[in-house]
Amino acid sequence: MSSLAVQQLVDVLKVKDEIMHAAREYLRQEGFIEILPVILSPITDPLHHDTFDGTVSFYGSPYQLTKSMILHKQIALRTLPRIYSVSPNVRMEPAERASLGRYLAEFVQLDLEVRDASRDEIIGVGEGLVLHVLTRVAERCPAELERLGRELTIPEAPFKRVSFQEAQEQFGKGFDDALSSSLSAPAWVIDFPRSVREFYDREDPARTDILLDMDLIYPEGYGEALSGGEREHTLPRILRRLEKDGIDKERFSQYLSFVEEGLPASAGFGIGIERLTRFVCGLEDVEQARLFAKAPGKVGAI
Ligand code: ASN
């Protein structure tokens, strides 16, 4: 990865600032309330893929650094119906992922959730958010984009949808990169199999082992933009999912007591801010999208 010249870095940071401004503008207009992020908790997203845990001692008790706000988002919906958080996440991915250009061990996710929403409704929020951000950046940062050599095309909604199975048949296992390189506009991948996702994504009542979830994939090889879906929210279903995934329910005892009291049905997603900045600016590597970037394995980064 080549390092950016000072002016390019300034331009990237200005674009990132506009991305956040536009995202908040859109979400406020859509009735969302921003809640402050949780950074330390005894419970966090178990994640399906391999990461090393960031555990710290909280007065002698093991607490984890947040991997995503998913469990807290569900609990927060007991208080407010439409929420989001600009949430710092720590996911210590295996070091070899650094070379892929789209992983940071510390990154920021705009994580949102809506009470009683369906996947279709939340897909609409995702499209609206991405379109608003791209339109505003194109309007407000033309000089920055030009200096970065980036011509932004504003896609049309609704974005194309492809099922996980279709994508895998066409592009093979781990299809994200090949699918993304084939696209000239963002597209949704829907209906992931249960075995590749986390326990909180809702299983389709009509199709065993297929989830009502989705990823948004950027075009031009920039890869995954966001992940989300409808959620499991009742105790018997969550306990069954934990069991199927071989997860000890004691690990989530605090979460399960909220589930027992009652969680609302919901759907939501989280979109990575550095990846969005990389896509909007047309950057080679996600490390170029922020200051103090920590790529997987880069010990010494501050
Ligand atoms: N934030 C994502 C979601 O809402 C979960 C994740 O990042 N693993 O589904």
Side-chain angles (χ1 to χ4, degrees), residues 67-86:
K67 291 185 190 144
S68 93
M69 286 269 292
I70 177 61
L71 307 178
H72 293 83
K73 286 195 300 182
Q74 285 185 290
I75 296 166
L77 286 187
R78 288 157 42 111
T79 314
L80 290 164
R82 294 164 83 80
I83 50 141
Y84 74 97
S85 197
V86 178

Side-chain angles (χ1 to χ4, degrees), residues 116-298:
D116 293 323
S118 65
R119 177 173 64 182
D120 278 345
E121 284 166 57
I122 224 68
I123 281 182
V125 172
E127 291 176 352
L129 177 69
V130 168
L131 289 180
H132 187 82
V133 165
L134 296 180
T135 307
R136 289 291 174 264
V137 171
E139 276 168 18
R140 295 172 182 161
C141 302
E144 286 80 6
L145 292 174
E146 199 184 329
R147 279 193 295 268
L148 291 165
R150 182 65 164 153
E151 231 174 89
L152 265 190
T153 326
I154 314 293
E156 271 179 36
F159 302 162
K160 189 174 105 176
R161 295 186 195 186
V162 51
S163 73
F164 178 94
Q165 196 184 337
E166 286 160 353
Q168 198 165 56
E169 276 161 20
Q170 199 177 348
F171 297 103
K173 273 199 160 183
F175 52 74
D176 274 18
D177 286 337
L179 169 62
S180 174
S181 301
S182 78
L183 296 171
S184 54
W188 298 101
V189 179
I190 59 169
D191 296 347
F192 285 69
R194 181 189 58 75
S195 58
V196 303
R197 296 304 270 255
E198 292 78 17
F199 74 85
Y200 48 76
D201 281 346
R202 180 164 174 243
E203 210 169 332
D204 188 341
R207 293 174 299 170
T208 320
D209 284 344
I210 300 292
L211 304 178
L212 291 169
D213 63 352
M214 75 284 175
D215 273 7
L216 182 68
I217 307 293
Y218 289 126
E220 304 165 61
Y222 289 99
E224 184 201 310
L226 70 78
S227 287
E230 291 184 23
R231 315 301 185 184
E232 297 292 2
H233 63 101
T234 64
L235 190 62
R237 293 187 64 93
I238 290 175
L239 289 176
R240 189 160 1 115
R241 292 290 298 280
L242 286 171
E243 199 183 317
K244 279 189 184 174
D245 284 2
I247 297 177
D248 179 6
K249 63 181 188 321
E250 279 313 307
R251 244 176 95 189
F252 292 97
S253 57
Q254 291 97 333
Y255 170 70
L256 292 173
S257 43
F258 282 102
V259 180
E260 212 169 348
E261 282 173 18
L263 286 186
S266 69
F269 64 73
I271 181 164
I273 297 305
E274 293 89 341
R275 287 182 176 182
L276 177 56
T277 307
R278 177 188 178 215
F279 169 64
V280 170
C281 294
L283 303 173
E284 184 190 334
D285 195 297
V286 72
E287 275 189 76
Q288 299 166 322
R290 62 168 294 159
L291 295 175
F292 313 117
K294 292 172 193 76
K298 277 220 176 155

